[in-house]
Amino acid sequence: MKLQSLPSVEIVSLPKPSARKETFWRRLGRQWDLQVMVLPGIILLLIFSYLPMWGVLTAFQDYDLSSGFFASPWVGLKHFQILLTDPLFLPVLKNTIVISILRLVFAFPAPIILALILNEVRLPVFKRIVQTISYLPHFMSWVIVAGLVISALSVDNGSVNMALLQLRIIHEPVNWLSIPECFWTILITTGIWKEIGFSSIIYLAAIAGVDPNLYEAADIDGAGRLRRLWHVTLPCIVPVITIFLILSVGQILNAGFEDILLLTNRGDNAILREVSDVIDTYVYRVGLTDFRYSYGVAVGLFKSIVNVIMLVVANFLARRLGETSLW
């Protein structure tokens, strides 16, 4: 039987589709619905964050309200030279740095510790009660919080003095807000009490994302609660802690404004000024109250530049020492 040869089939290669790179405007048009959703936020950001940056130029002027922004004379770095030679600014800078460091040492780890403790609570009802109570102070304004603190520390029927008198720790009421040595403790403690619950939400969410298999493996190895906490939970939330630590270091000269201003009676408490005067209150007093607008803007610009430098340095160190950084 003779086999017939099959006809040869010619394979025709299809032309490759043109790999035309999608342009920015074409991609923008394809995502028009998403861009419309983002547009209101972009407009608000431009109006309230970028347009006011033109006011930074007044730091290089002798700004006068009657002359206006464009007619005020330019003076270059005059206000920065005054700032660096002002004998009153060095104590202000020292107070700002010390209060910020105290916040980093005591206030920053407080919500982490609370989140770790709440994660170990096995009674859901008790856990929810504690979370609710710790969240509430965050939603109160500093006006209310400062009023509560001043009332609690008052000489006349203040709860703190009454408790200390009953315990015979003191023999007569003490005006705590007139003792400079106690102000930093009152300020840091009040800030922790107000923000510890709300700040712990982020760390609780990070802990909830830890792989349960890691805990099971730790249990098999015989690890107790403390060892699981130290060897499993903490290493898993280190990236979140690092990010917020970088952001906190980047705000090293933001020692507070509302809390200090209200606890010192709008800055009129002269006894506490040597320990409570920070850059923000200094700008408020000198720039707005004394009508030295250009000098106040120069101080604020100095603070922002230092904060940016500290942010870049902290991010660089975090990237060199670990794998987590902002960029």
Side-chain angles (χ1 to χ4, degrees):
M1 183 176 179
K2 186 177 180 181
L3 297 175
Q4 295 181 352
S5 60
L6 297 174
S8 60
V9 178
E10 183 179 359
I11 300 176
V12 180
S13 59
L14 297 175
K16 295 182 179 180
S18 58
R20 185 173 59 179
K21 188 177 180 180
E22 188 178 23
T23 63
F24 170 76
W25 297 108
R26 185 181 296 275
R27 187 169 65 252
L28 194 68
R30 184 169 53 82
Q31 299 175 347
W32 68 270
D33 50 347
L34 300 177
Q35 302 301 329
V36 169
M37 293 173 61
V38 177
L39 190 59
I42 295 176
I43 293 174
L44 289 176
L45 191 67
L46 290 174
I47 294 175
F48 294 104
S49 297
Y50 284 93
L51 288 181
M53 290 180 67
W54 287 102
V56 171
L57 295 178
T58 58
F60 307 95
Q61 294 178 319
D62 270 335
Y63 181 73
D64 182 49
L65 284 175
S66 59
S67 302
F69 178 77
F70 296 101
S72 298
W74 294 88
V75 294
L77 299 176
K78 169 188 171 183
H79 299 293
F80 294 94
Q81 294 173 353
I82 296 174
L83 166 67
L84 297 177
T85 57
D86 186 1
L88 298 177
F89 182 70
L90 188 59
V92 169
L93 183 61
K94 184 199 77 172
N95 291 336
T96 305
I97 294 175
V98 170
I99 292 175
S100 296
I101 291 175
L102 289 175
R103 290 186 191 276
L104 278 177
V105 173
F106 296 103
F108 179 78
I112 302 174
I113 296 173
L114 178 62
L116 293 173
I117 294 174
L118 289 176
N119 185 60
E120 297 298 325
V121 174
R122 294 293 177 260
L123 296 176
V125 176
F126 178 75
K127 183 177 180 178
R128 286 196 294 268
I129 292 174
V130 173
Q131 285 180 300
T132 303
I133 293 174
S134 62
Y135 294 167
L136 286 177
H138 171 80
F139 299 99
M140 294 189 295
S141 68
W142 268 112
V143 177
I144 299 175
V145 172
L148 292 173
V149 173
I150 293 172
S151 176
L153 297 176
S154 66
V155 178
D156 301 326
N157 299 323
S159 59
V160 174
N161 279 313
M162 292 176 64
L164 294 177
L165 285 171
Q166 291 293 328
L167 296 173
R168 300 185 184 277
I169 297 177
I170 59 176
H171 301 290
E172 59 182 10
V174 178
N175 189 359
W176 299 101
L177 286 175
S178 294
I179 304 176
E181 292 79 7
C182 298
F183 178 73
W184 288 346
T185 303
I186 296 171
L187 178 67
I188 301 302
T189 304
T190 304
I192 292 175
W193 173 74
K194 187 177 186 299
E195 298 296 338
I196 184 173
F198 192 79
S199 299
S200 65
I201 295 176
I202 299 171
Y203 300 107
L204 284 171
I207 293 173
V210 177
D211 189 357
N213 294 325
L214 297 176
Y215 291 112
E216 294 178 2
D219 288 334
I220 295 173
D221 290 339
R225 283 194 174 187
L226 288 179
R227 287 192 174 274
R228 290 201 305 268
L229 180 70
W230 184 257
H231 294 287
V232 178
T233 308
L234 272 177
C236 289
I237 65 173
V238 160
V240 178
I241 296 175
T242 303
I243 292 297
F244 281 93
L245 182 59
I246 294 172
L247 294 176
S248 298
V249 172
Q251 297 182 5
I252 194 69
L253 293 187
N254 290 344
F257 175 68
E258 291 180 340
D259 48 353
I260 296 176
L261 197 68
L262 292 169
L263 289 175
T264 57
N265 191 21
R266 293 175 297 176
D268 295 334
N269 192 335
I271 299 175
L272 296 178
R273 180 165 294 176
E274 62 176 344
V275 294
S276 66
D277 205 12
V278 295
I279 290 180
D280 289 326
T281 56
Y282 180 73
V283 170
Y284 169 76
R285 188 178 70 256
V286 176
L288 295 179
T289 307
D290 297 344
F291 304 105
R292 297 171 63 185
Y293 302 114
S294 295
Y295 182 71
V297 174
V299 177
L301 182 59
F302 168 80
K303 184 191 77 169
S304 300
I305 292 173
V306 173
N307 282 341
V308 170
I309 293 173
M310 292 301 297
L311 178 66
V312 173
V313 171
N315 187 79
F316 172 77
L317 292 176
R319 190 171 64 249
R320 291 294 299 271
L321 298 176
E323 299 180 355
T324 304
S325 61
L326 289 176
W327 65 85

